[in-house]
Amino acid sequence: MKQGTLYVVATPIGNLDDITARAVDILRKVDLIACEDTRKSRVLLQRWDISTHLISLHRFSETRRTRTILERLGRGDNVAIISDAGTPAISDPGSRLVKSAIEAGFLVAPIPGASSIIAALSVSGMDCSSFSYLGFVPKKREQKKTFFENLRDEERTAIFFETAKRIQTSLKVAAEILGSRRLVILRELTKLHEEMLWGTATSLLETLGGKELLKGEITVVVEGARSSRIEVNRDEAINVLITEGFSGKRLAEEAHSRFGLSKTAAYKRYLELKKSIRH
């Protein structure tokens, strides 16, 4: 008996017109579509006159549904998996199903399309020849701190997701650790109220503080650390920061973040320079 194929289909990240002709064709022809939320997916399918049967596959049902889908593939049925937006298995359910299908010997075919990651990078204005994708920011403060500390010396552009509810909390931690590094916040990509904001974590906090309650999923792009900063003269760097209004431990943090200087050495030298200025 001919075995079925599992199609991993990317769907629009907001604008329903951002779907490929091939994706529409596949979704019409398969025997079954596994989706994250049947209510949300039905809106897309109705828009493109797709009547294929839907079943839900989310993080609570993926184990059970995987068995069902593997059985259907074994009987020769073709199955498509989609998520609420973007590509399944990328910060969305589906990776367990894909892995199981591969291990069982079924053909798994990608049907690429819209991606919030690539869309955000393309308009960030940052070097995207190499980048690091980090998923969602952790919820707990200590984990957030570790998350951003790992970005302190990352020379590649980094991109991650955050919720509207937690974005300001994450930006406060980022401001403490990343200092003057440039960020881009992208909200509601491709949707009616699409918004993009450029700045440092501190300036973006001020901007968001004046806005009404945010809604929607947020994508954040952070510029990479400067690889040449260790060559900066220590005293020159500290004097620059003093001129910009930095002092004390905040200056030491900024000296490390921006110029790669040891925080302890920078703080000690700051105190020495401050003392010499007084005398």
Side-chain angles (χ1 to χ4, degrees):
M1 178 185 294
K2 182 180 178 182
Q3 293 186 329
T5 297
L6 175 66
Y7 293 96
V8 181
V9 182
T11 54
I13 58 176
N15 191 314
L16 296 184
D17 287 340
D18 291 339
I19 189 170
T20 68
R22 184 181 177 211
V24 172
D25 183 57
I26 289 293
L27 293 177
R28 285 174 178 164
K29 290 180 177 178
V30 293
D31 301 289
L32 179 70
I33 299 173
C35 65
E36 194 172 354
D37 186 324
T38 55
R39 293 166 300 179
K40 292 182 178 179
S41 293
R42 196 164 280 118
V43 173
L44 174 67
L45 300 191
Q46 289 175 348
R47 166 69 177 80
W48 290 101
D49 193 27
I50 299 168
S51 58
T52 308
H53 181 64
L54 282 173
I55 62 169
S56 63
L57 186 145
H58 45 71
R59 63 191 182 96
F60 299 110
S61 68
E62 189 166 2
T63 300
R64 173 169 47 86
R65 290 299 194 191
T66 292
R67 291 194 295 268
T68 300
I69 292 169
L70 292 181
E71 289 174 2
R72 294 288 296 267
L73 291 171
R75 296 203 299 263
D77 289 343
N78 293 318
V79 180
I81 176 174
I82 61 176
S83 60
D84 290 345
T87 307
I90 310 296
S91 290
D92 281 326
S95 59
R96 182 177 299 171
L97 171 60
V98 171
K99 182 175 183 292
S100 297
I102 293 170
E103 291 176 345
F106 296 113
L107 179 63
V108 178
I111 311 297
S115 165
S116 58
I117 298 169
I118 301 303
L121 289 169
S122 72
V123 296
S124 69
M126 299 179 188
D127 178 11
C128 300
S129 56
S130 177
F131 65 88
S132 175
Y133 166 63
L134 305 172
F136 279 90
V137 181
K139 295 180 181 180
K140 296 182 179 179
R141 179 177 171 79
E142 284 305 309
Q143 293 175 330
K144 284 183 188 290
K145 186 177 179 182
T146 300
F147 179 91
F148 287 108
E149 284 176 343
N150 289 336
L151 278 179
R152 196 199 306 270
D153 299 316
E154 173 58 74
E155 295 179 7
R156 294 172 296 175
T157 295
I159 184 166
F160 55 83
F161 298 140
E162 183 54 291
T163 64
K165 182 179 180 180
R166 296 195 295 266
I167 184 62
Q168 295 195 44
T169 302
S170 290
L171 284 176
K172 289 176 183 177
V173 179
E176 296 171 4
I177 297 170
L178 300 181
S180 61
R181 291 265 284 281
R182 290 191 305 136
L183 287 80
V184 186
I185 289 179
L186 307 101
R187 187 177 67 86
E188 296 286 82
L189 275 171
T190 77
K191 298 179 182 178
L192 181 63
H193 299 293
E194 179 180 78
E195 182 177 35
M196 303 177 197
L197 301 170
W198 287 261
T200 64
T202 300
S203 68
L204 289 171
L205 268 172
E206 293 175 356
T207 301
L208 294 179
K211 289 181 172 290
E212 297 180 1
L213 182 65
L214 293 178
K215 294 182 180 180
E217 188 173 288
I218 293 173
T219 305
V220 182
V221 184
V222 182
E223 73 173 341
R226 301 176 188 175
S227 59
S228 60
R229 46 188 189 163
I230 57 174
E231 300 172 5
V232 174
N233 178 278
R234 183 185 61 183
D235 286 2
E236 288 180 4
I238 292 173
N239 281 322
V240 166
L241 294 175
I242 292 174
T243 302
E244 292 180 3
F246 288 95
S247 62
K249 292 183 178 179
R250 181 72 187 280
L251 180 144
E253 291 279 356
E254 186 71 7
H256 180 73
S257 174
R258 194 188 305 186
F259 302 112
L261 300 176
S262 160
K263 286 187 284 187
T264 302
Y267 183 69
K268 181 179 179 181
R269 188 55 181 155
Y270 159 74
L271 294 177
E272 292 172 351
L273 290 172
K274 185 178 179 182
K275 185 176 180 180
S276 66
I277 293 172
R278 287 177 178 172
H279 292 293

